[in-house]
Amino acid sequence: MKLKYFLFAGLLTITLHSCVVLSNKKYKAILATQDSLTTRTGTLETEVAKLQGDTARLHNEIAQLKHDMGDLQNSYNTLNTNYANLNNNYTSTSSKVNQLSADLQKREARLKEVEAILRKRDEASTALKNKLQQALLGFQQNGLTVDMRNGKVYVSLTDKLLFPSGSIVIDDKGKSALKQLAAVLNKEPDINIAVEGHTDNKKILNLGQIKDNWDLSVLRATSVTRYLTEVEKIDPHRLTATGKSEFQPIDPGNTPEALAKNRRIEIVLSPKLDELYNLISK
């Protein structure tokens, strides 16, 4: 009986000891697990805090990107508007350029027409000058000259070739020269004729009804005009008579030679330019 008791007591003791040993191991395992969990929890908390910081930073970046995107959208809208305006301006400018180009072509065409007409005028004036030089060759030693200026032919006759001193009556020598001139002009109906009287700068003395150089220049021009129209039968519609007095001298000097040059009748011949006038009036 005692033996059984001792055996039971020993077995119980061993069992209790084993339980204590096992409990200690579990406790230590639990403590180890707890420590591990505590460490893991700390790590996770650190990671959570980091993630929260990253999240806040990302929200800030997102907000900044949205702001930047808004600015970019505004810039895009402005550029798009500017592009539309530039495109409209380009279209308008292109239309104007095309119109100007068309106008320029028309003007160039008209310019060519004008140049052609002026060339015809110069050719006609040159031909007329040559005819007059040939017809009036015998008078060129007596103070008659024929030259061309600005597309017009100038026949210049000194007063001594046409008039006695201080007179407005054409003498026979002058009539002979005008007769030769009229023979050419009557064959050239498309030539306009201007008769200009010129004097020197010496004041007129004792010439009766002729008061001054204006009177003398005008009356001599009208005397030549009357002779050409009434005697030589040049169409009076082609002629004009003007007096220039002393104010368009050939030679500004005061020598006898210079004064003689300035006392003259100039017959200015210019081809009619109806084509040119019609073209300009368009």
Side-chain angles (χ1 to χ4, degrees):
M1 186 68 174
K2 290 183 179 179
L3 179 60
K4 289 181 179 180
Y5 175 76
F6 284 118
L7 289 173
F8 177 74
L11 182 58
L12 180 60
T13 299
I14 293 169
T15 301
L16 287 173
H17 178 73
S18 297
C19 288
V20 170
V21 171
L22 289 172
S23 295
N24 285 336
K25 287 181 178 180
K26 288 183 178 181
Y27 177 72
K28 289 179 180 179
I30 289 170
L31 288 178
T33 300
Q34 183 180 4
D35 291 341
S36 175
L37 290 173
T38 300
T39 302
R40 181 62 176 164
T41 298
T43 301
L44 291 173
E45 288 175 350
T46 301
E47 291 180 357
V48 168
K50 183 176 180 301
L51 289 173
Q52 288 175 340
D54 291 342
T55 300
R57 180 176 55 77
L58 288 173
H59 280 300
N60 290 335
E61 290 181 358
I62 289 171
Q64 184 62 46
L65 288 172
K66 287 182 177 179
H67 181 269
D68 292 344
M69 186 173 72
D71 290 343
L72 289 173
Q73 184 65 43
N74 291 335
S75 297
Y76 169 78
N77 292 337
T78 300
L79 289 172
N80 197 43
T81 300
N82 291 339
Y83 171 77
N85 291 335
L86 287 172
N87 192 49
N88 291 335
N89 290 338
Y90 170 78
T91 301
S92 176
T93 302
S94 179
S95 177
K96 290 179 181 178
V97 168
N98 291 336
Q99 183 61 46
L100 288 172
S101 179
D103 291 344
L104 180 60
Q105 290 178 356
K106 291 180 181 178
R107 291 184 182 185
E108 288 177 344
R110 291 181 65 185
L111 178 59
K112 288 181 180 178
E113 291 183 59
V114 170
E115 289 174 342
I117 293 170
L118 292 177
R119 187 164 53 250
K120 286 169 61 178
R121 179 204 67 179
D122 291 342
E123 290 171 354
S125 296
T126 300
L128 177 62
K129 184 192 77 168
N130 294 336
K131 289 179 182 178
L132 290 172
Q133 285 178 331
Q134 187 66 30
L136 301 170
L137 187 62
F139 299 95
Q140 294 181 20
Q141 299 297 324
N142 298 312
L144 182 147
T145 61
V146 181
D147 65 321
M148 194 165 75
R149 287 173 255 157
N150 301 320
K152 299 177 181 180
V153 176
Y154 286 74
V155 179
S156 182
L157 304 98
T158 60
D159 67 335
K160 68 179 182 180
L161 177 60
L162 293 172
F163 306 100
S165 178
S167 173
I168 61 173
V169 179
I170 304 170
D171 60 19
D172 291 338
K173 184 171 52 177
K175 290 178 182 179
S176 179
L178 293 176
K179 185 178 185 67
Q180 295 294 327
L181 174 64
V184 175
L185 296 180
N186 275 324
K187 296 177 182 178
E188 302 287 344
D190 291 328
I191 300 296
N192 289 321
I193 306 164
V195 180
E196 298 178 354
H198 298 266
T199 68
D200 59 25
N201 59 4
K202 299 301 180 182
K203 292 188 179 299
I204 289 177
L205 299 174
N206 301 320
L207 287 182
Q209 64 176 351
I210 302 173
K211 298 177 181 179
D212 53 24
N213 284 327
W214 283 113
D215 274 351
L216 182 59
S217 66
V218 171
L219 291 172
R220 282 183 167 179
T222 53
S223 290
V224 171
T225 302
R226 286 194 187 94
Y227 179 83
L228 292 175
T229 56
E230 295 175 2
V231 178
E232 299 301 334
K233 305 304 180 184
I234 294 178
D235 182 0
H237 295 93
R238 299 169 57 190
L239 280 92
T240 58
T242 58
K244 302 292 186 176
S245 187
E246 64 195 68
F247 301 107
Q248 292 186 10
I250 294 176
D251 191 328
N254 283 315
T255 64
E257 292 78 10
L259 296 176
K261 289 180 183 178
N262 294 333
R263 295 190 302 270
R264 68 199 189 278
I265 290 290
E266 282 193 339
I267 300 176
V268 185
L269 309 173
S270 55
K272 293 180 180 179
L273 296 177
D274 294 340
E275 293 175 275
L276 180 59
Y277 297 145
N278 292 336
L279 183 63
I280 292 173
S281 67
K282 293 178 183 178

